[in-house]
Amino acid sequence: MFVPGEPESGKSAMLTTDQIESYRQNGYVTIPGMFDGETIGKLRRVTDEFVQRSAQVSENNDVFDLEPGHTSSDPRLRRLKRPEQQHPAYDRIFRDDRILDMVEQLVGPNVQEFGGKLNMKCAAYGSPVEWHQDFAFGPRRSNDDILAVGVAIDPMTPENGCLLVVPGSHRGRIYDHFTADGVFAGAVTEPEFDPGDVAPVQLDAGDISIHHGRLLHASAPNTTPDRPRRFYLLQYSAADSWVEGADEEQIEVSRAQMIRGQLPPEPRYADFPPVPRPAVVRQGRGGSIYEQQTHLGRGFSRLSGHS
């Protein structure tokens, strides 16, 4: 286990009034040129090392989520789980003061982290991610001030599977993510669902995006022959967004997840639509969103026309 890296200090970055308004209205915002070429180069080298390490495993575990077709001679990694716990280069990004300054502008001075993930779409075969809302995952919270910051390690375009979003959908309903028999599928399961107007979030390497936890988003496969798409997602919430019915054990977990400020003595409640949940929840496949979305069935996709 490595010693956590120090956050970059002596630097600041603030969202403009227009950027904050864009986030409030559209549910996402992009910030160009956040990380320089040296930093991105380091992340690419470290990421390549983890891809090679994944050659030593043959099935998903608590670090690696493997692409179908993965072999020891041709390692294919689609997700590195909790990168900030795996290497200091990722941890420094996770704790970067400039990112936390922006998060603070959006959710308040007390910030809690709930983990990172590095999603990868290798050239020509990167797995898609179907339409979903992050807020549908996990237990209900007292308010919906949760978000994800995405760091583009590679240029992200529609051709190599950039993030797709439905602007403004974070101000609407929360969709059902369960199958008819009560299994969580990690994606919108309503038969009549249509994402409507879709916007691609195109980024250059070193740019970042921020999206709200209720925003509908997805990503199509990587159809390019030679352009990987690696996207490091950092997840944060307002520290007063408590898990419903939190007991002393959960409060201690929340306290350990504080990354800026202090854990408030009580939750803050806000009105937002209910999170659909069946009366009886059946156990499905655990693991990552990729495994959960296999419950949608072979060949299922609502991404055609948006790739």
Side-chain angles (χ1 to χ4, degrees):
M1 179 64 69
F2 71 90
V3 177
E6 291 295 323
E8 294 194 36
S9 58
K11 301 180 179 180
S12 65
M14 302 295 284
L15 296 170
T16 67
T17 301
D18 286 346
Q19 287 172 325
I20 294 173
E21 180 63 16
S22 176
Y23 176 81
R24 301 292 184 211
Q25 291 300 313
N26 297 316
Y28 73 103
V29 65
T30 61
I31 299 94
M34 188 71 179
F35 294 102
D36 61 24
E38 181 178 354
T39 300
I40 294 301
K42 174 67 173 177
L43 290 177
R44 287 174 177 169
R45 290 190 295 273
V46 171
T47 300
D48 288 343
E49 291 171 5
F50 275 99
V51 172
Q52 290 306 311
R53 288 189 205 179
S54 74
Q56 302 171 19
V57 301
S58 58
E59 58 185 32
N60 299 336
N61 59 26
D62 58 359
V63 177
F64 301 119
D65 192 291
L66 307 175
E67 192 83 48
H70 167 89
T71 65
S72 59
S73 59
D74 182 19
R76 298 183 174 188
L77 183 61
R78 63 185 175 189
R79 173 175 286 183
L80 180 64
K81 303 173 184 178
R82 297 303 299 258
E84 73 282 1
Q85 295 181 357
Q86 314 302 334
H87 196 282
Y90 299 123
D91 190 62
R92 279 191 288 271
I93 302 296
F94 197 72
R95 299 174 186 276
D96 190 295
D97 281 333
R98 298 168 299 168
I99 286 179
L100 294 176
D101 287 345
M102 294 181 188
V103 172
E104 182 176 332
Q105 286 182 277
L106 299 175
V107 305
N110 300 308
V111 180
Q112 185 178 12
E113 57 85 8
F114 55 106
K117 52 201 175 188
L118 176 53
N119 289 349
M120 301 178 228
K121 293 182 188 288
C122 297
Y125 59 81
S127 287
V129 176
E130 295 290 338
W131 291 103
H132 66 283
Q133 295 163 294
D134 295 339
F135 203 72
F137 292 66
R140 184 176 173 88
R141 289 172 168 265
S142 62
N143 66 68
D144 64 351
D145 275 337
I146 73 170
L147 55 77
V149 178
V151 180
I153 297 177
D154 303 297
M156 292 175 51
T157 67
E159 292 74 26
N160 74 349
C162 71
L163 191 67
L164 302 172
V165 302
V166 179
S169 56
H170 69 301
R171 293 183 282 113
R173 57 178 291 212
I174 300 171
Y175 289 84
D176 191 353
H177 287 57
F178 285 84
T179 64
D181 57 354
V183 174
F184 185 72
V188 177
T189 55
E190 298 177 22
E192 302 304 317
F193 170 76
D194 182 345
D197 294 330
V198 173
V201 181
Q202 301 190 68
L203 302 173
D204 287 329
D207 295 352
I208 70 170
S209 65
I210 305 175
H211 72 262
H212 192 279
R214 280 172 51 195
L215 185 73
L216 281 163
H217 59 288
S219 61
N222 184 348
T223 59
T224 68
D226 56 1
R227 286 188 285 141
R229 193 229 73 171
R230 292 165 287 189
F231 197 38
Y232 181 19
L233 288 158
L234 327 170
Q235 301 173 107
Y236 307 98
S237 72
D240 59 10
S241 178
W242 285 27
V243 170
E244 189 175 65
D247 56 16
E248 288 300 321
E249 182 178 356
Q250 178 61 51
I251 291 171
E252 287 306 309
V253 170
S254 297
R255 185 170 287 112
Q257 292 174 324
M258 291 301 300
I259 196 167
R260 177 171 283 192
Q262 297 181 336
L263 183 70
E266 57 187 23
R268 172 173 54 88
Y269 290 93
D271 290 331
F272 55 86
V275 180
R277 187 177 180 85
V280 177
V281 176
R282 292 183 57 240
Q283 183 66 38
R285 298 180 183 89
S288 73
I289 190 172
Y290 302 100
E291 295 168 287
Q292 292 166 339
Q293 290 190 356
T294 61
H295 290 290
L296 296 171
R298 185 181 301 275
F300 178 96
S301 181
R302 290 196 176 102
L303 295 169
S304 60
H306 301 297
S307 61

